[in-house]
Amino acid sequence: MSELLRGFPVTVEIPVAWGEMDAFGHVNNMVYFRYFETARIRYFEAVGYIDLAGPAGTGPILAYADCRFRLPLTYPDRVRVGARVSDVSEAGFLMHYRAVSLHHRKVAAEGTGRITSFDYDRQAKAPLPPGVAEAIARLEAGAGD
């Protein structure tokens, strides 16, 4: 299983809930974005993004998201979702996600999300808070290949 998430420095295990399935008997497509969100927030915690953003009104905003569905998930199962970052710029970065079915031992979905640093008071793009890019670089350096 670890080989499927190699290179993802942050992972989180999430149970598939019965209520996440739709009328066709598999997990509804929007739920995968919740799985990605859980991994994204765990990543933000790991690099201290929320703490570093502080009370100044600047923080992350999801500017874009996509998902490639590879395997329908069903209850009961558990997914391990990995998150990693690339393309760090002054005002944001690209996150990559991979959701792996523990039951099937296969990739269930992969996606990306463009994270932009946003000044919520001014309602405008802003530079990343000091220390965020450095914390991301440290975390990613320890992820291996």
Side-chain angles (χ1 to χ4, degrees):
M1 189 65 64
S2 62
E3 68 280 354
L4 294 175
L5 291 168
R6 185 172 290 124
F8 288 85
V10 172
T11 64
V12 59
E13 191 170 308
I14 305 167
V16 173
W18 173 263
E20 292 171 340
M21 292 193 303
D22 60 20
F24 297 105
H26 58 76
V27 170
N28 185 278
N29 59 349
M30 69 168 211
V31 174
Y32 291 79
F33 289 98
R34 285 193 203 134
Y35 297 159
F36 294 168
E37 177 186 51
T38 299
R40 179 171 57 250
I41 297 305
R42 184 70 53 89
Y43 193 102
F44 290 170
E45 291 170 345
V47 297
Y49 194 168
I50 306 301
D51 296 334
L52 291 170
T58 299
I61 194 167
L62 182 62
Y64 168 85
D66 68 19
C67 181
R68 171 136 170 117
F69 305 99
R70 299 192 175 277
L71 174 76
L73 293 170
T74 58
Y75 174 89
D77 199 348
R78 296 181 76 73
V79 291
R80 181 155 288 280
V81 184
R84 66 180 179 85
V85 164
S86 70
D87 304 325
V88 179
S89 69
E90 178 184 312
F93 47 86
L94 184 65
M95 293 202 79
H96 303 266
Y97 313 104
R98 182 173 292 157
V100 175
S101 163
L102 298 185
H103 175 74
H104 296 284
R105 304 179 78 65
K106 292 182 180 178
V107 175
E110 295 177 294
T112 60
R114 172 64 61 188
I115 308 302
T116 300
S117 183
F118 194 75
D119 183 325
Y120 287 90
D121 292 334
R122 294 186 312 114
Q123 292 292 294
K125 190 187 302 188
L128 284 172
V132 171
E134 295 83 2
I136 289 171
R138 282 191 303 274
L139 184 62
E140 292 295 327
D145 292 310

